[in-house]
Amino acid sequence: PTKFDQLFKKVDELKPDFIDVVAQAVAIPAVSSDESLRPQVVKKAHFIVGQLESLGFTDIQLKPLGIQPPPVTNPNLELPPVVLSRYGSDPNKKTVLVYGHYDVQPAFKEDGWDTEPFTLVVDEEKGQLKGRGATDDTGPLTGWLHVVRAHREAGIEFPVNLITCFEGMEESGSLGLEELIAKEANDYFKDVDAVCISDNYWLGTRKPVLTYGLRGCNYYQTIVEGPKADLHSGVFGGIVAEPMIDLAKIMSTLVDSDGKIQIKGIDEMVAPVTPEEHKLYEEIDFSVDELNKASGSNTALYTKKEDILMHRWRYPSLSLHGIEGAFSAQGAKTVIPAKVMGKFSIRTVPDMDSEKLTKLVTEHCDKEFAKLNSPNRCKTELIHDGAYWVSDPHNAQFSAASKATELVYGVKPDLTREGGSIPITVTFQDQLKTSVLLLPMGRGDDGAHSINEKLDISNFINGIKLMGAYLHYYAESKEN
Amino acid sequence: PTKFDQLFKKVDELKPDFIDVVAQAVAIPAVSSDESLRPQVVKKAHFIVGQLESLGFTDIQLKPLGIQPPPVTNPNLELPPVVLSRYGSDPNKKTVLVYGHYDVQPAFKEDGWDTEPFTLVVDEEKGQLKGRGATDDTGPLTGWLHVVRAHREAGIEFPVNLITCFEGMEESGSLGLEELIAKEANDYFKDVDAVCISDNYWLGTRKPVLTYGLRGCNYYQTIVEGPKADLHSGVFGGIVAEPMIDLAKIMSTLVDSDGKIQIKGIDEMVAPVTPEEHKLYEEIDFSVDELNKASGSNTALYTKKEDILMHRWRYPSLSLHGIEGAFSAQGAKTVIPAKVMGKFSIRTVPDMDSEKLTKLVTEHCDKEFAKLNSPNRCKTELIHDGAYWVSDPHNAQFSAASKATELVYGVKPDLTREGGSIPITVTFQDQLKTSVLLLPMGRGDDGAHSINEKLDISNFINGIKLMGAYLHYYAESKEN
Ligand SMILES: [Zn+2]
Ligand SMILES: [Zn+2]
Ligand SMILES: [Zn+2]
Ligand SMILES: [Zn+2]
C-alpha cells in the first residue's frame, strides 16, 4: 500500500474520534460578536491548545491582541487570543502556515434551528454534521489537527513543517490580526513558504473547487447636510431644500437596476477577459437555478452561467446599502432629516486602482450634486477599502492541491473565485511574501451563517484526506 | 370704566397669582411619551381638577381613555384622562368649548437647558417665563382658568358657557381623543356653539395672529422586495436585482431639489390663489431671514415672503423621510437589503382629494418601477392620512377674536395658516359641526419642543385678556 493508502485508511478508522473532537469544540458557544460570551471564545482557544499539546505541537503560544476598541459595553474587554503553534521544524522541509478561526456566528434555537445549535448532531441518514461552526470554521480548523493525528498513528512522516494561526475574532472583523501578522512576519512566521486558508466553500454541492481570487471592496458614504437640526415637514416642507431629496437623486445615478455601474471611467480600469480565462468559466459546474435557490427568489440579472460567474467574481459591482440619519423605523415620522449619509460600496477587481476609483466616485457624486443647484452641502468619502486578490491558479500550491483533489475525489477541481473579500488573504500574501491557497472543505449549501449549519461527513473526511495529500504534493514540488 | 377696563385691571393685579399657578403646573413632569412618568401626567390632571373646583367649575369629569395600544412596555398602561368641566350652563348664552393639553414634551437639563426644565423661572429682565410647557401648552391652558378667575374677582358676569376639554396625550398622538369627541358630541358637548384651540404660535415675534388653516398629510411607503432574506454584497453584488437600487430610482422621481413635486395631476387639484387671498400674504409680517433663522441654515427655496408663506401653507409639499429595512447605522455593512420601504409624505391643501391623490401617487410609482424592468416586486401604499383644514377667517368667531386683538394689542391680527396639521381641529369641526378658531398665545420663537422653552410674560397676560375679550365679543355677535 502507498503512503496515501495507509494515510486514508487511518483517516477512515479515526472518523468517530475526529467527529468527537468537532463535537467537543462545537459545544463551546464561541460567539465573538457577543461580549457576554467572550469567556467561551477564550475557553475554545484553550480547548484547541489542549488538542495541540496532545498531538505533540510545540512552541504553542496564545498571542494576546489587547483590548477591543469601541464600540463595546465593557471598555476593558480583551480580544480573543490567536493560537500559534508548530508541528515540526526541519530546515529541510517546507513550512506551511494554516489559518482557521475558532469563533462562530451567533445562533439560537429560536432562530429556527431544528436542533440545539451548540450540540453537534451526527445525522447518519443525511450523512451530515449539524451545529454552529460545523463548516465555518470549526470543522475545517480541526481538520489540520486530524491530518497530524492520522500521520502520527499511521506512522507516516509529516511532509512539511506546519504552523497554525487560529484566530477567534474572524466573524467580528478579525480585529488585531493584521497587526499580529505584520509583527510576526519576520519572527514566528519567518520561515513560512506557503499559506493555506480553509474557510470558504465549494461553489455548488457536487464539485470540489480551489479558490484563486477574491474581489475587493471600496465602501463609500455620500453626506448631504443642510438645516442645523432635523425639521418638521409640516412647518418646513416645501420651503427648504431637503438633504434626503438631494441624496436620493445622487444615489439613483450610481447604478442601474440591471446592475450596470453608471460612474464613468470604471469599466476602463477592469482587466479584459482573455479567451483562456473565459474557458475557466465555461468549465465550471454552475447554473442560474443555483443562484435563484441561494437568493430565494427569481431576481438573477443574468441567465448564462458564464455571465453570472464573471459578474460575481471578475467584474465590479455597486450595491446601495442604506442611509444613516434618515428615518428608518417602522411607522410614520414626519421628519425632514438635516444630515443624511448614503452608504454604498463597489466590489473591486483587477486592475482597478483604489485611489483612482475613489476619485471617479467623488467626482461623479459632486457633478450630480452640482446639477441639482441645491443650497445644501454634499461630500462623498471612502469609509474603508479592502484590496482584491488574485493568485496564479497554476502555481506550486494550486498544482499540489489540484493533484490532491484528483487523488481524493477522482475529479479535477473547478477553479473558482469569490465575490466577497477575505482581507486577511491579502495581508498574508503581502506580509509573508508567499502564495496563498484557499482550500475549501464544505459545500455551497452548508448555511455558514444561517440556521441548521451543516458539514457533510463525506466533505469532512475527504477534506482531511485532501489536506494531507496537498501537503505531501506541495512538499514534493520543485518550486515553492 | 368699561367692563374691559375692569377685567384687564384685575388680570394685571392677579399676574403674580397666575404665574404661580403656571409654576405649580410646570413643576409636574407630565411627559406623555415617557411611560415611567405616566403617574405624573395623571397627577397634573388632578392638579387641574383642583383648580377647576376652586373656581366653581361644575360637572368635572376625568374621562378615562382605556389602555394604551402597543408598542408599550407596560401592556396595562392607562392613557391619561381627558378633563371635562363646565363653567355656567345658561341656555341663553352661547357655549364655547376650549381645548388644551396638559402633557408636555420630554426635557432634560443635559439637553442644553440653562435652567431646570421643570422649574418655572420668572426672568423679569427678559420678561419671560421659562420652563417645559410654558408655551406648549400649560401656559395657554391655564389662561382659560385665569379668565374665569378674573371675571369672578372683578364681579363681571361670564359672557358664555365654557366647556373645557383638556387632554394629556397630545404630544404622543392624542390617542383616544378622537373617539371621545365622537362619543361626547351629542352628550357632554351637545350644546357647543364654537371651539377655540390655543395651542399654536404667532408666525413671528411681533405681531399677533389668528390661524384659519392647516395643511393635511398623506403618508406613503413604497415597498420594494426581491430576495427572500438580506444578502451579502460580496456574494450577490452584481448578479441579483437589488431592491434598494430600484427604490432609490423611484424615490428620486417624486420631487425635485427645488421642491417641485413631479407626480402628474397634483397641481391640477390645488385651489387657485385668488387676488383676495394673495393680498392676505402681502399683508403678513414675515421675511426669508426668519425662515433661515428657524432652520439654522441658508436652505430656503424662496426669497419672497409671499412665496414662502404660500408654499408653507397653501401649496402641497413632498418630503422624503427615510427608508425602513435598509442599513441605517453608523459604519459600513455590506448588506443587500431584501425588502426596503421608502417613506414619504405629501402635505395636502384645498381642494386635494385624498383618495385621488393616493391613486396618482401609486400610479406614478408603479409606472416608474415598470420602467426599471426589475424582477423585484414593488407596491406603494398609504400609511395614514390626516385632512387639511381651512376656516372662513371672517366668521363670527374670527371677527370676535380680531376685534379682541385690536382691543388688547392695538393692531389687527395677521391671518395665518400653518404648514403642519392639528388633526383634532378637523375632528372638532366635523363632529361638533361648529366653527373652530386657533387663537395662539405665544410667539414663533418660543421653542415649544426645544430647550429653554419660554413664554413672554406680556404674551401670557395679554393672551388672558385676549381670551376674555374674544369670549365677550363672540357672545355679543349675532351669528354663531
Ligand atoms: Zn469563516
Ligand atoms: Zn463566517
Ligand atoms: Zn401643543
Ligand atoms: Zn407640542
Side-chain angles (χ1 to χ4, degrees):
Chain A
T2 67
K3 67 182 172 191
F4 287 126
D5 290 336
Q6 287 175 285
L7 180 65
F8 292 177
K9 184 160 166 264
K10 184 56 71 181
V11 170
D12 289 330
E13 273 173 34
L14 289 170
K15 180 172 128 178
D17 285 25
F18 291 166
I19 290 175
D20 184 55
V21 171
V22 177
Q24 288 181 59
V26 164
I28 306 167
V31 180
S32 55
S33 63
D34 185 337
E35 283 188 41
S36 71
L37 289 175
R38 188 58 51 89
Q40 296 292 329
V41 184
V42 175
K43 185 180 167 189
K44 196 160 169 189
H46 286 280
F47 170 79
I48 293 165
V49 168
Q51 296 291 313
L52 294 168
E53 282 171 344
S54 75
L55 289 168
F57 278 74
T58 60
D59 197 7
I60 301 171
Q61 299 190 22
L62 282 177
K63 286 284 181 190
L65 298 177
I67 301 297
Q68 184 165 334
V72 279
T73 308
N74 170 5
N76 298 313
L77 189 70
E78 286 262 4
L79 287 166
V82 172
V83 183
L84 300 184
S85 68
R86 300 178 190 280
Y87 191 76
S89 50
D90 183 339
N92 295 316
K93 289 180 183 171
K94 288 177 182 154
T95 299
V96 176
L97 182 151
V98 295
Y99 163 92
H101 65 88
Y102 57 88
D103 64 318
V104 294
Q105 285 279 326
F108 300 96
K109 182 132 198 296
E110 307 84 78
D111 296 342
W113 283 73
D114 296 333
T115 56
E116 283 299 334
F118 293 105
T119 301
L120 191 79
V121 173
V122 184
D123 186 331
E124 293 289 358
E125 201 180 317
K126 287 188 180 167
Q128 291 177 347
L129 306 177
K130 194 164 68 189
R132 175 55 86 222
T135 194
D136 182 21
D137 184 41
T138 307
L141 181 151
T142 66
W144 297 111
L145 312 187
H146 305 323
V147 169
V148 169
R149 180 163 169 196
H151 277 84
R152 288 168 73 93
E153 300 200 11
I156 302 167
E157 191 186 345
F158 207 71
V160 299
N161 303 317
L162 203 69
I163 289 181
T164 71
C165 178
F166 296 153
E167 70 158 324
M169 204 62 188
E170 197 275 342
E171 301 293 5
S172 301
S174 292
L175 301 177
L177 184 61
E178 200 173 323
E179 294 75 8
L180 179 95
I181 294 171
K183 198 162 145 256
E184 301 297 341
N186 293 307
D187 197 348
Y188 205 106
F189 300 158
K190 78 171 181 320
D191 295 322
V192 171
D193 296 296
V195 173
C196 183
I197 298 177
S198 186
D199 188 26
N200 68 315
Y201 312 95
W202 293 358
L203 181 60
T205 58
R206 294 175 302 266
K207 190 119 177 255
V209 313
L210 303 178
T211 305
Y212 69 97
L214 299 164
R215 290 196 294 187
C217 184
N218 276 29
Y219 204 107
Y220 296 97
Q221 64 181 358
T222 294
I223 305 170
V224 185
E225 54 187 321
K228 206 176 63 180
D230 286 359
L231 301 175
H232 189 279
S233 70
V235 183
F236 293 93
I239 57 172
V240 299
E242 302 188 14
M244 260 300 280
I245 295 174
D246 298 342
L247 182 62
K249 299 265 183 204
I250 295 169
M251 289 180 87
S252 76
T253 67
L254 297 171
V255 57
D256 278 354
S257 290
D258 60 5
K260 178 130 190 49
I261 298 174
Q262 295 299 310
I263 300 168
K264 288 213 172 60
I266 290 184
D267 286 352
E268 288 77 357
M269 289 197 285
V270 177
V273 185
T274 62
E276 187 188 30
E277 187 195 337
H278 199 279
K279 202 152 164 291
L280 285 176
Y281 303 114
E282 292 166 18
E283 286 164 1
I284 291 171
D285 183 27
F286 190 72
S287 80
V288 65
D289 296 337
E290 289 180 74
L291 169 57
N292 283 335
K293 199 177 156 211
S295 79
S297 62
N298 287 307
T299 58
L301 294 175
Y302 304 95
T303 51
K304 269 180 64 184
K305 173 180 77 175
E306 291 86 345
D307 289 332
I308 295 172
L309 295 177
M310 287 195 282
H311 280 278
R312 171 180 279 180
W313 297 343
R314 65 101 57 226
Y315 284 122
S317 63
L318 193 155
S319 294
L320 303 183
H321 306 297
I323 297 173
E324 180 184 347
F327 177 54
S328 63
Q330 278 198 309
K333 190 179 173 187
T334 53
V335 64
I336 296 176
K339 180 180 180 181
V340 285
M341 283 146 278
K343 315 275 180 116
F344 60 97
S345 69
I346 298 176
R347 294 283 162 179
T348 57
V349 297
D351 299 313
M352 292 169 71
D353 179 76
S354 174
E355 272 183 47
K356 191 171 167 205
L357 176 62
T358 298
K359 192 160 173 285
L360 292 174
V361 168
T362 53
E363 280 175 1
H364 173 92
C365 293
D366 290 349
K367 207 183 81 195
E368 290 298 328
F369 178 69
K371 283 186 197 168
L372 304 178
N373 272 315
S374 167
N376 292 317
R377 297 185 302 285
C378 178
K379 177 175 74 176
T380 299
E381 60 190 27
L382 180 74
I383 301 183
H384 76 67
D385 61 343
Y388 56 79
W389 168 77
V390 180
S391 172
D392 169 9
H394 302 293
N395 70 16
Q397 277 216 86
F398 278 86
S399 299
S402 182
K403 224 165 135 182
T405 305
E406 285 200 68
L407 180 69
V408 173
Y409 283 100
V411 291
K412 261 184 129 54
D414 277 344
L415 292 173
T416 64
R417 298 195 196 182
E418 298 241 343
S421 55
I422 308 180
I424 221 62
T425 310
V426 183
T427 307
F428 276 123
Q429 177 179 285
D430 291 354
Q431 292 291 341
L432 307 192
K433 316 264 183 282
T434 62
S435 149
V436 180
L437 163 71
L438 303 190
L439 183 67
M441 178 179 270
R443 301 182 186 181
D445 68 346
D446 280 357
H449 290 192
S450 310
I451 57 170
N452 299 320
E453 177 181 344
K454 60 87 178 168
L455 174 64
D456 293 86
I457 295 172
S458 63
N459 279 55
F460 179 56
I461 295 303
N462 284 328
I464 295 167
K465 293 175 182 171
L466 179 62
M467 286 168 163
Y470 144 72
L471 291 175
H472 280 276
Y473 287 134
Y474 176 62
E476 292 161 12
S477 72
K478 300 245 159 50
E479 23 153 9
N480 266 349
Chain B
T2 68
K3 66 182 171 193
F4 286 127
D5 291 336
Q6 287 174 285
L7 180 66
F8 293 177
K9 186 161 163 263
K10 185 54 73 183
V11 170
D12 289 330
E13 273 173 32
L14 290 170
K15 180 172 126 179
D17 286 25
F18 292 166
I19 291 176
D20 185 55
V21 171
V22 177
Q24 288 180 59
V26 164
I28 306 167
V31 180
S32 55
S33 63
D34 185 337
E35 283 187 42
S36 71
L37 290 175
R38 187 59 52 88
Q40 296 292 329
V41 183
V42 175
K43 185 179 166 188
K44 196 162 170 187
H46 286 280
F47 170 80
I48 292 164
V49 167
Q51 295 291 312
L52 294 168
E53 282 171 346
S54 75
L55 289 169
F57 279 74
T58 59
D59 196 9
I60 301 171
Q61 298 191 22
L62 283 177
K63 286 285 182 190
L65 298 178
I67 301 299
Q68 183 165 335
V72 278
T73 308
N74 170 4
N76 298 313
L77 190 70
E78 287 262 5
L79 288 166
V82 172
V83 183
L84 300 184
S85 68
R86 298 176 192 282
Y87 191 75
S89 52
D90 182 340
N92 295 314
K93 289 181 183 170
K94 288 176 183 154
T95 299
V96 176
L97 181 151
V98 294
Y99 163 92
H101 65 88
Y102 57 89
D103 64 319
V104 294
Q105 285 279 324
F108 301 97
K109 181 134 199 296
E110 308 84 78
D111 295 343
W113 283 73
D114 296 334
T115 56
E116 283 298 335
F118 294 104
T119 301
L120 191 78
V121 173
V122 184
D123 186 332
E124 293 289 358
E125 202 179 316
K126 286 188 179 166
Q128 293 176 345
L129 306 177
K130 195 164 68 188
R132 176 55 88 221
T135 194
D136 181 22
D137 184 42
T138 307
L141 180 151
T142 66
W144 297 111
L145 312 188
H146 306 322
V147 170
V148 170
R149 179 161 169 199
H151 277 83
R152 289 168 72 91
E153 299 201 10
I156 302 167
E157 192 186 344
F158 207 72
V160 300
N161 302 317
L162 203 67
I163 289 180
T164 71
C165 177
F166 296 153
E167 70 158 323
M169 203 62 188
E170 197 276 341
E171 301 294 4
S172 301
S174 292
L175 301 177
L177 185 60
E178 200 174 323
E179 294 75 7
L180 179 94
I181 295 171
K183 197 162 146 256
E184 301 296 342
N186 293 309
D187 196 347
Y188 206 106
F189 300 157
K190 78 170 179 328
D191 295 322
V192 171
D193 296 299
V195 173
C196 183
I197 299 177
S198 186
D199 187 26
N200 68 315
Y201 312 95
W202 293 356
L203 181 59
T205 58
R206 295 175 302 266
K207 193 124 177 251
V209 313
L210 304 178
T211 305
Y212 70 97
L214 300 164
R215 290 195 293 187
C217 184
N218 276 30
Y219 204 108
Y220 297 97
Q221 64 181 357
T222 294
I223 306 170
V224 184
E225 54 188 322
K228 204 176 64 178
D230 286 358
L231 301 175
H232 189 279
S233 70
V235 183
F236 293 93
I239 56 172
V240 298
E242 302 188 13
M244 261 298 281
I245 294 174
D246 297 342
L247 182 62
K249 301 263 181 203
I250 295 169
M251 288 180 87
S252 76
T253 67
L254 297 170
V255 57
D256 277 354
S257 289
D258 61 4
K260 180 131 188 47
I261 298 174
Q262 295 298 311
I263 300 167
K264 287 213 173 61
I266 291 185
D267 286 352
E268 288 77 355
M269 289 197 284
V270 177
V273 185
T274 61
E276 187 188 31
E277 187 195 339
H278 198 278
K279 201 152 164 289
L280 286 176
Y281 303 114
E282 291 165 20
E283 285 164 3
I284 289 169
D285 184 25
F286 190 72
S287 79
V288 66
D289 297 336
E290 289 179 75
L291 169 58
N292 283 335
K293 200 177 153 209
S295 79
S297 62
N298 288 308
T299 57
L301 293 175
Y302 305 95
T303 51
K304 270 181 62 185
K305 173 180 77 176
E306 293 85 346
D307 288 333
I308 295 170
L309 295 177
M310 287 195 282
H311 281 278
R312 172 181 279 180
W313 296 344
R314 65 101 59 226
Y315 285 122
S317 63
L318 192 155
S319 294
L320 304 183
H321 305 297
I323 297 173
E324 180 185 345
F327 177 54
S328 63
Q330 278 197 308
K333 190 178 173 188
T334 53
V335 65
I336 296 175
K339 180 180 180 180
V340 285
M341 284 146 277
K343 314 274 180 115
F344 60 97
S345 69
I346 297 175
R347 294 284 161 178
T348 58
V349 296
D351 299 315
M352 291 168 70
D353 178 76
S354 174
E355 272 183 48
K356 191 172 166 204
L357 176 62
T358 298
K359 192 160 171 284
L360 292 173
V361 169
T362 53
E363 280 174 1
H364 173 92
C365 293
D366 290 350
K367 206 183 82 196
E368 290 297 329
F369 178 70
K371 283 186 197 168
L372 304 177
N373 272 316
S374 168
N376 291 317
R377 297 184 303 285
C378 178
K379 176 176 74 175
T380 299
E381 60 191 25
L382 180 74
I383 301 183
H384 77 68
D385 62 344
Y388 57 80
W389 168 77
V390 179
S391 172
D392 168 9
H394 303 292
N395 71 14
Q397 277 217 87
F398 277 85
S399 300
S402 182
K403 225 165 135 180
T405 306
E406 283 200 69
L407 179 70
V408 174
Y409 283 100
V411 291
K412 261 185 129 56
D414 278 343
L415 293 171
T416 64
R417 299 196 196 181
E418 300 241 343
S421 56
I422 309 181
I424 220 63
T425 310
V426 183
T427 307
F428 276 123
Q429 176 180 286
D430 292 353
Q431 292 292 340
L432 308 192
K433 315 265 183 281
T434 63
S435 148
V436 180
L437 164 70
L438 303 189
L439 183 67
M441 177 179 271
R443 302 182 187 181
D445 68 347
D446 281 356
H449 290 192
S450 310
I451 57 170
N452 299 321
E453 177 181 345
K454 60 86 178 169
L455 174 63
D456 293 86
I457 295 171
S458 63
N459 279 54
F460 179 55
I461 296 302
N462 285 328
I464 295 166
K465 293 175 182 172
L466 180 61
M467 286 168 163
Y470 145 72
L471 293 176
H472 279 277
Y473 286 133
Y474 177 62
E476 292 162 11
S477 73
K478 300 244 159 50
E479 22 151 10
N480 265 350

